[in-house]
Amino acid sequence: GAVVSQHPSRVICKSGTSVKIECRSLDFQATTMFWYRQFPKQSLMLMATSNEGSKATYEQGVEKDKFLINHASLTLSTLTVTSAHPEDSSFYICSARRQGGGGNTIYFGEGSWLTVV
Amino acid sequence: DAKTTQPNSMESNEEEPVHLPCNHSTISGTDYIHWYRQLPSQGPEYVIHGLTSNVNNRMASLAIAEDRKSSTLILHRATLRDAAVYYCILRAGNQFYFGTGTSLTVIP
């Protein structure tokens, strides 16, 4: 099956610093990737849609200047949390859309735990 | 956004079949029905998807109502490893929006 990999799986950063999370599709090309965040015992919330070679589309209420998304190649999208604060601590999950196979199935990465101290 | 409704939680005995229901009365004609499951601290795992006809794969079966307003994910023999939160999702345009899902507990 399709594989999507995230790195790092866990990161701790100091308040006010920035942290970058990478999302890679390992065995397919993904023109579209998605970033979600998930708080404990809650469902996934879509943050933004990342399109290769163009600007990301952010969901309502998500600060685009705080959550910078770059999708420079067909296999890599990055999420940078800028000036991180403790309330940004969360589980961040990326996914990549694999075209074809009916319904354009999306495959998810393993997730990245961010703790801001 | 196309919405789905699922029970918050369900229980099943190990090695027995499990039927996880999902209502999606606002589904449009081109929406595919996707199912994912998520274990704690992991990303969601693809289970199955379909449009109109019932679907089978090595993990599960998907039964879709004739009017497409509901569907059922069927795990034929629940194992302890099937304990997870199961999400029924309709693809709305290019995005997948998650509902609250069903937390499945498998009893040994």
Side-chain angles (χ1 to χ4, degrees):
Chain A
V3 179
V4 176
S5 179
Q6 278 184 246
H7 177 80
S9 58
R10 290 183 178 274
V11 59
I12 301 173
C13 71
K14 291 185 177 180
S15 186
T17 63
S18 297
V19 62
K20 180 186 289 187
I21 302 170
E22 293 185 346
C23 178
R24 294 180 186 274
S25 57
L26 297 185
D27 55 354
F28 65 98
Q29 294 184 328
T31 55
T32 306
M33 291 184 172
F34 306 89
W35 287 95
Y36 294 80
R37 67 187 298 181
Q38 184 177 33
F39 293 108
K41 298 196 181 298
Q42 294 187 21
S43 186
L44 285 77
M45 290 178 50
L46 180 64
M47 298 174 66
T49 302
S50 168
N51 300 298
E52 188 267 335
S54 65
K55 291 184 178 180
T57 304
Y58 290 82
E59 294 296 304
Q60 191 172 6
V62 177
E63 300 175 60
K64 62 180 180 181
D65 294 330
K66 180 170 185 60
F67 299 100
L68 300 179
I69 292 172
N70 182 275
H71 193 158
S73 78
L74 288 172
T75 59
L76 174 64
S77 176
T78 60
L79 168 69
T80 301
V81 182
T82 64
S83 187
H85 290 285
E87 56 265 31
D88 298 324
S89 299
S90 185
F91 191 47
Y92 291 87
I93 309 169
C94 75
S95 66
R97 185 168 70 108
R98 181 175 192 175
Q99 291 180 289
N104 294 327
T105 301
I106 287 182
Y107 295 92
F108 288 81
E110 315 95 322
S112 299
W113 278 106
L114 170 63
T115 302
V116 184
V117 297
Chain B
D1 306 337
K3 296 273 191 278
T4 62
T5 304
Q6 299 175 252
N8 287 334
S9 62
M10 291 184 66
E11 286 185 353
S12 172
N13 293 319
E14 193 176 11
E15 297 190 6
E16 291 191 356
V18 184
H19 288 64
L20 298 165
C22 181
N23 287 319
H24 29 78
S25 58
T26 60
I27 191 170
S28 71
T30 56
D31 285 343
Y32 280 80
I33 302 159
H34 294 253
W35 283 81
Y36 286 78
R37 69 182 185 183
Q38 185 181 28
L39 296 170
S41 297
Q42 295 187 25
E45 175 188 26
Y46 168 78
V47 178
I48 201 167
H49 76 279
L51 182 61
T52 56
S53 302
N54 294 343
V55 184
N56 300 297
N57 67 20
R58 64 175 180 82
M59 290 182 69
S61 295
L62 176 60
I64 301 173
E66 201 169 322
D67 62 6
R68 299 207 330 123
K69 293 185 176 182
S70 65
S71 61
T72 302
L73 179 70
I74 303 167
L75 306 180
H76 297 286
R77 258 176 99 243
T79 68
L80 297 178
R81 289 178 294 178
D82 291 324
V85 178
Y86 287 78
Y87 294 100
C88 165
I89 304 161
L90 301 182
R91 181 168 64 91
N94 202 26
Q95 290 89 355
F96 282 25
Y97 292 95
F98 283 73
T100 54
T102 296
S103 178
L104 175 66
T105 300
V106 180
I107 301 169

